[in-house]
Amino acid sequence: VNPRSAWGARPTECTSLNTTKTLISVHHTVTPTGAGNYPSRIRGIQNYHMDSNLWCDIGYHFMVTSDGQQWEAREAQYLGTHVGGNNTNNLGVSFIGGFQPGVTPCTDAAFAPVTPPQVMIDGGGNLIGKLADFYGITVSETTVIGHRDNPGASTSCPGDNLHSELGQLRTIANEGMNMPGTGRVQGIVWDLDITPDASQSAERGARLEGAAISLSDGQTTTSREG
């Protein structure tokens, strides 16, 4: 996720902490996509929220651009300003653009495409999976919802064409949460009967090649020489 520094965020003025998150609300910004200069577009949204709406920061916690990049917006430790009357414990994830078909300004060229591209859905679903995993949220139809699905909401947000992708966003999020991690276990496995000091294990022949290593997800691997 691109941090706030990547788009040149102004310092936050927020003070209301809200570190527990149980719900993720999906939005669209109803702005031009900013393709070619996403940091400038996000700064513009922050400026509008702070200078015109007089909010303490940009209203959303995270944003997704049309190329699938993920961006940190308001720090997640703070109470958001994205769903009137329902911000507590609610993470705001906003897709930059306008996804309500047949309605101005979403139909303007600068807002195109009015249907979120697959790469954007993939990036958004991946982000939602990361957030759900971090906060212990079980992804479902009641925990990952559109802005319009919040109690008392009177809005078309996140637009019909993004709202119809909520099922796919949830599927991608769940797939990401359940996908085994890949990487390299780096370290030394040595025989304590020979030496208690790992720094001497190679010199004294204590380093173990082919030792079984148990991983936290229940899988196993083996050590190799070097």
Side-chain angles (χ1 to χ4, degrees), residues 44-65:
I45 295 170
Q46 184 190 40
N47 289 337
Y48 180 78
H49 285 182
M50 295 182 75
D51 298 335
S52 297
N53 292 353
L54 302 181
W55 297 345
C56 63
D57 205 333
I58 191 169
Y60 316 109
H61 294 106
F62 294 91
M63 308 188 83
V64 183
T65 45

mmCIF file of all heavy atoms in Angstrom, residues 44-65:
data_model
loop_
_atom_site.group_PDB
_atom_site.id
_atom_site.type_symbol
_atom_site.label_atom_id
_atom_site.label_comp_id
_atom_site.label_asym_id
_atom_site.label_seq_id
_atom_site.Cartn_x
_atom_site.Cartn_y
_atom_site.Cartn_z
ATOM 1 N N GLY A 44 -5.873 16.603 -4.167
ATOM 2 C CA GLY A 44 -7.033 17.441 -4.433
ATOM 3 C C GLY A 44 -8.241 17.024 -3.606
ATOM 4 O O GLY A 44 -8.996 17.875 -3.118
ATOM 5 N N ILE A 45 -8.440 15.723 -3.470
ATOM 6 C CA ILE A 45 -9.555 15.227 -2.652
ATOM 7 C C ILE A 45 -9.335 15.598 -1.193
ATOM 8 O O ILE A 45 -10.258 16.042 -0.497
ATOM 9 C CB ILE A 45 -9.708 13.703 -2.832
ATOM 10 C CG1 ILE A 45 -10.112 13.378 -4.285
ATOM 11 C CG2 ILE A 45 -10.745 13.142 -1.854
ATOM 12 C CD1 ILE A 45 -10.057 11.902 -4.620
ATOM 13 N N GLN A 46 -8.098 15.457 -0.701
ATOM 14 C CA GLN A 46 -7.812 15.838 0.673
ATOM 15 C C GLN A 46 -8.055 17.330 0.892
ATOM 16 O O GLN A 46 -8.665 17.731 1.896
ATOM 17 C CB GLN A 46 -6.372 15.491 1.051
ATOM 18 C CG GLN A 46 -6.061 15.788 2.516
ATOM 19 C CD GLN A 46 -4.586 15.688 2.858
ATOM 20 O OE1 GLN A 46 -3.717 16.112 2.072
ATOM 21 N NE2 GLN A 46 -4.271 15.129 4.018
ATOM 22 N N ASN A 47 -7.592 18.146 -0.038
ATOM 23 C CA ASN A 47 -7.788 19.594 0.098
ATOM 24 C C ASN A 47 -9.264 19.946 0.154
ATOM 25 O O ASN A 47 -9.687 20.792 0.965
ATOM 26 C CB ASN A 47 -7.126 20.331 -1.069
ATOM 27 C CG ASN A 47 -5.612 20.299 -1.002
ATOM 28 O OD1 ASN A 47 -5.036 20.111 0.074
ATOM 29 N ND2 ASN A 47 -4.956 20.471 -2.139
ATOM 30 N N TYR A 48 -10.065 19.307 -0.698
ATOM 31 C CA TYR A 48 -11.502 19.575 -0.698
ATOM 32 C C TYR A 48 -12.136 19.162 0.632
ATOM 33 O O TYR A 48 -12.941 19.903 1.214
ATOM 34 C CB TYR A 48 -12.168 18.836 -1.859
ATOM 35 C CG TYR A 48 -13.656 19.070 -1.936
ATOM 36 C CD1 TYR A 48 -14.167 20.248 -2.474
ATOM 37 C CD2 TYR A 48 -14.555 18.130 -1.432
ATOM 38 C CE1 TYR A 48 -15.538 20.478 -2.534
ATOM 39 C CE2 TYR A 48 -15.924 18.341 -1.485
ATOM 40 C CZ TYR A 48 -16.404 19.522 -2.035
ATOM 41 O OH TYR A 48 -17.761 19.744 -2.067
ATOM 42 N N HIS A 49 -11.770 18.002 1.116
ATOM 43 C CA HIS A 49 -12.346 17.521 2.370
ATOM 44 C C HIS A 49 -11.958 18.397 3.556
ATOM 45 O O HIS A 49 -12.773 18.649 4.440
ATOM 46 C CB HIS A 49 -11.914 16.069 2.621
ATOM 47 C CG HIS A 49 -12.618 15.079 1.756
ATOM 48 N ND1 HIS A 49 -12.405 13.713 1.849
ATOM 49 C CD2 HIS A 49 -13.544 15.241 0.772
ATOM 50 C CE1 HIS A 49 -13.175 13.091 0.973
ATOM 51 N NE2 HIS A 49 -13.864 13.992 0.300
ATOM 52 N N MET A 50 -10.716 18.873 3.552
ATOM 53 C CA MET A 50 -10.253 19.672 4.694
ATOM 54 C C MET A 50 -10.650 21.145 4.575
ATOM 55 O O MET A 50 -11.044 21.767 5.565
ATOM 56 C CB MET A 50 -8.732 19.547 4.840
ATOM 57 C CG MET A 50 -8.267 18.142 5.196
ATOM 58 S SD MET A 50 -6.470 17.986 5.433
ATOM 59 C CE MET A 50 -6.260 18.763 7.037
ATOM 60 N N ASP A 51 -10.560 21.701 3.373
ATOM 61 C CA ASP A 51 -10.782 23.141 3.213
ATOM 62 C C ASP A 51 -12.234 23.503 2.950
ATOM 63 O O ASP A 51 -12.704 24.549 3.406
ATOM 64 C CB ASP A 51 -9.912 23.676 2.062
ATOM 65 C CG ASP A 51 -8.428 23.493 2.325
ATOM 66 O OD1 ASP A 51 -8.039 23.412 3.502
ATOM 67 O OD2 ASP A 51 -7.663 23.416 1.344
ATOM 68 N N SER A 52 -12.961 22.646 2.227
ATOM 69 C CA SER A 52 -14.364 22.933 1.932
ATOM 70 C C SER A 52 -15.315 22.256 2.910
ATOM 71 O O SER A 52 -16.258 22.868 3.404
ATOM 72 C CB SER A 52 -14.700 22.498 0.493
ATOM 73 O OG SER A 52 -13.951 23.244 -0.446
ATOM 74 N N ASN A 53 -15.053 20.979 3.206
ATOM 75 C CA ASN A 53 -15.907 20.261 4.160
ATOM 76 C C ASN A 53 -15.516 20.511 5.599
ATOM 77 O O ASN A 53 -16.259 20.163 6.520
ATOM 78 C CB ASN A 53 -15.859 18.755 3.885
ATOM 79 C CG ASN A 53 -16.518 18.374 2.572
ATOM 80 O OD1 ASN A 53 -17.135 19.198 1.911
ATOM 81 N ND2 ASN A 53 -16.393 17.120 2.179
ATOM 82 N N LEU A 54 -14.323 21.068 5.793
ATOM 83 C CA LEU A 54 -13.792 21.365 7.135
ATOM 84 C C LEU A 54 -13.630 20.107 7.980
ATOM 85 O O LEU A 54 -13.833 20.128 9.200
ATOM 86 C CB LEU A 54 -14.675 22.394 7.858
ATOM 87 C CG LEU A 54 -14.841 23.737 7.140
ATOM 88 C CD1 LEU A 54 -15.717 24.667 7.970
ATOM 89 C CD2 LEU A 54 -13.496 24.380 6.856
ATOM 90 N N TRP A 55 -13.249 18.999 7.313
ATOM 91 C CA TRP A 55 -12.940 17.773 8.026
ATOM 92 C C TRP A 55 -11.488 17.799 8.475
ATOM 93 O O TRP A 55 -10.677 18.591 7.991
ATOM 94 C CB TRP A 55 -13.186 16.562 7.136
ATOM 95 C CG TRP A 55 -14.636 16.399 6.730
ATOM 96 C CD1 TRP A 55 -15.715 17.013 7.285
ATOM 97 C CD2 TRP A 55 -15.130 15.564 5.680
ATOM 98 N NE1 TRP A 55 -16.866 16.611 6.658
ATOM 99 C CE2 TRP A 55 -16.543 15.720 5.657
ATOM 100 C CE3 TRP A 55 -14.538 14.706 4.766
ATOM 101 C CZ2 TRP A 55 -17.355 15.044 4.756
ATOM 102 C CZ3 TRP A 55 -15.346 14.025 3.861
ATOM 103 C CH2 TRP A 55 -16.732 14.188 3.859
ATOM 104 N N CYS A 56 -11.132 16.912 9.388
ATOM 105 C CA CYS A 56 -9.770 16.906 9.937
ATOM 106 C C CYS A 56 -8.756 16.289 8.979
ATOM 107 O O CYS A 56 -7.540 16.426 9.195
ATOM 108 C CB CYS A 56 -9.737 16.182 11.283
ATOM 109 S SG CYS A 56 -10.176 14.420 11.203
ATOM 110 N N ASP A 57 -9.221 15.642 7.921
ATOM 111 C CA ASP A 57 -8.328 14.995 6.959
ATOM 112 C C ASP A 57 -9.198 14.500 5.809
ATOM 113 O O ASP A 57 -10.428 14.676 5.815
ATOM 114 C CB ASP A 57 -7.574 13.820 7.611
ATOM 115 C CG ASP A 57 -6.246 13.492 6.925
ATOM 116 O OD1 ASP A 57 -6.124 13.765 5.717
ATOM 117 O OD2 ASP A 57 -5.346 12.960 7.599
ATOM 118 N N ILE A 58 -8.586 13.856 4.837
ATOM 119 C CA ILE A 58 -9.347 13.169 3.805
ATOM 120 C C ILE A 58 -10.276 12.170 4.490
ATOM 121 O O ILE A 58 -9.935 11.582 5.521
ATOM 122 C CB ILE A 58 -8.369 12.479 2.811
ATOM 123 C CG1 ILE A 58 -9.099 11.971 1.578
ATOM 124 C CG2 ILE A 58 -7.579 11.370 3.498
ATOM 125 C CD1 ILE A 58 -8.151 11.536 0.471
ATOM 126 N N GLY A 59 -11.477 12.010 3.963
ATOM 127 C CA GLY A 59 -12.492 11.248 4.693
ATOM 128 C C GLY A 59 -12.281 9.756 4.748
ATOM 129 O O GLY A 59 -12.685 9.094 5.703
ATOM 130 N N TYR A 60 -11.661 9.194 3.691
ATOM 131 C CA TYR A 60 -11.500 7.752 3.574
ATOM 132 C C TYR A 60 -10.196 7.287 4.229
ATOM 133 O O TYR A 60 -9.252 8.053 4.374
ATOM 134 C CB TYR A 60 -11.466 7.344 2.097
ATOM 135 C CG TYR A 60 -12.511 8.007 1.241
ATOM 136 C CD1 TYR A 60 -12.148 8.976 0.299
ATOM 137 C CD2 TYR A 60 -13.864 7.679 1.355
ATOM 138 C CE1 TYR A 60 -13.102 9.590 -0.501
ATOM 139 C CE2 TYR A 60 -14.819 8.297 0.560
ATOM 140 C CZ TYR A 60 -14.428 9.260 -0.372
ATOM 141 O OH TYR A 60 -15.371 9.865 -1.155
ATOM 142 N N HIS A 61 -10.139 6.015 4.544
ATOM 143 C CA HIS A 61 -8.904 5.445 5.107
ATOM 144 C C HIS A 61 -7.959 4.922 4.021
ATOM 145 O O HIS A 61 -6.745 4.978 4.181
ATOM 146 C CB HIS A 61 -9.246 4.297 6.069
ATOM 147 C CG HIS A 61 -9.976 4.749 7.296
ATOM 148 N ND1 HIS A 61 -11.313 4.515 7.489
ATOM 149 C CD2 HIS A 61 -9.555 5.431 8.389
ATOM 150 C CE1 HIS A 61 -11.694 5.019 8.654
ATOM 151 N NE2 HIS A 61 -10.642 5.590 9.220
ATOM 152 N N PHE A 62 -8.529 4.400 2.940
ATOM 153 C CA PHE A 62 -7.715 3.854 1.859
ATOM 154 C C PHE A 62 -8.379 4.177 0.529
ATOM 155 O O PHE A 62 -9.599 4.389 0.460
ATOM 156 C CB PHE A 62 -7.542 2.329 2.005
ATOM 157 C CG PHE A 62 -6.742 1.938 3.209
ATOM 158 C CD1 PHE A 62 -7.374 1.679 4.417
ATOM 159 C CD2 PHE A 62 -5.362 1.841 3.147
ATOM 160 C CE1 PHE A 62 -6.642 1.331 5.543
ATOM 161 C CE2 PHE A 62 -4.623 1.501 4.268
ATOM 162 C CZ PHE A 62 -5.264 1.242 5.465
ATOM 163 N N MET A 63 -7.560 4.185 -0.534
ATOM 164 C CA MET A 63 -8.074 4.494 -1.859
ATOM 165 C C MET A 63 -7.468 3.528 -2.873
ATOM 166 O O MET A 63 -6.377 2.989 -2.657
ATOM 167 C CB MET A 63 -7.769 5.943 -2.232
ATOM 168 C CG MET A 63 -8.218 6.919 -1.164
ATOM 169 S SD MET A 63 -8.083 8.647 -1.627
ATOM 170 C CE MET A 63 -9.603 8.846 -2.542
ATOM 171 N N VAL A 64 -8.199 3.324 -3.964
ATOM 172 C CA VAL A 64 -7.752 2.447 -5.043
ATOM 173 C C VAL A 64 -7.844 3.237 -6.344
ATOM 174 O O VAL A 64 -8.873 3.868 -6.625
ATOM 175 C CB VAL A 64 -8.626 1.178 -5.142
ATOM 176 C CG1 VAL A 64 -8.100 0.239 -6.228
ATOM 177 C CG2 VAL A 64 -8.676 0.451 -3.801
ATOM 178 N N THR A 65 -6.766 3.231 -7.131
ATOM 179 C CA THR A 65 -6.770 3.935 -8.409
ATOM 180 C C THR A 65 -7.041 2.954 -9.547
ATOM 181 O O THR A 65 -6.992 1.733 -9.366
ATOM 182 C CB THR A 65 -5.443 4.678 -8.620
ATOM 183 O OG1 THR A 65 -4.333 3.833 -8.266
ATOM 184 C CG2 THR A 65 -5.390 5.929 -7.769
#
